[in-house]
Amino acid sequence: MAQYVAIIEDAGPDEAVGVWFPDLPGCISGGDDVDEAMENAPEALAFYAQELVEDGRQLPPPRTLDELKADPAVADDLAKHRVALIEWPPLTEVTE
């Protein structure tokens, strides 16, 4: 199972929290707090993947955190913000 690195931008107590994926340009999520933003992140990733499939493309393979740290375009954001790993494909809940 792949894991995409997500960068969590928490602007402050009265601001929304943003989540974005360095490997997936334009794939963003958010919420009123970190917990809500993280709950929404897998859905944003799923919608992004669906759009790519509809365009005849596939998700690019995720880079590791170390690979992203070596990328000057991402390194500063990784140092300034929290990071999370989002599973792909998302885990599905088992229903009885």
Side-chain angles (χ1 to χ4, degrees), residues 20-40:
W20 59 279
F21 299 84
D23 287 327
L24 308 172
C27 184
I28 60 172
S29 183
D32 291 333
D33 56 33
V34 172
D35 290 337
E36 184 176 297
M38 292 309 302
E39 287 176 21
N40 294 336

Side-chain angles (χ1 to χ4, degrees), residues 20-76:
W20 59 279
F21 299 84
D23 287 327
L24 308 172
C27 184
I28 60 172
S29 183
D32 291 333
D33 56 33
V34 172
D35 290 337
E36 184 176 297
M38 292 309 302
E39 287 176 21
N40 294 336
E43 184 178 9
L45 182 52
F47 283 131
Y48 189 88
Q50 181 180 349
E51 289 290 320
L52 288 179
V53 169
E54 289 173 3
D55 288 343
R57 299 181 291 157
Q58 294 182 350
L59 280 173
R63 291 181 283 175
T64 66
L65 187 55
D66 287 337
E67 289 171 324
L68 289 168
K69 286 179 180 177
D71 182 347
V74 182
D76 281 346

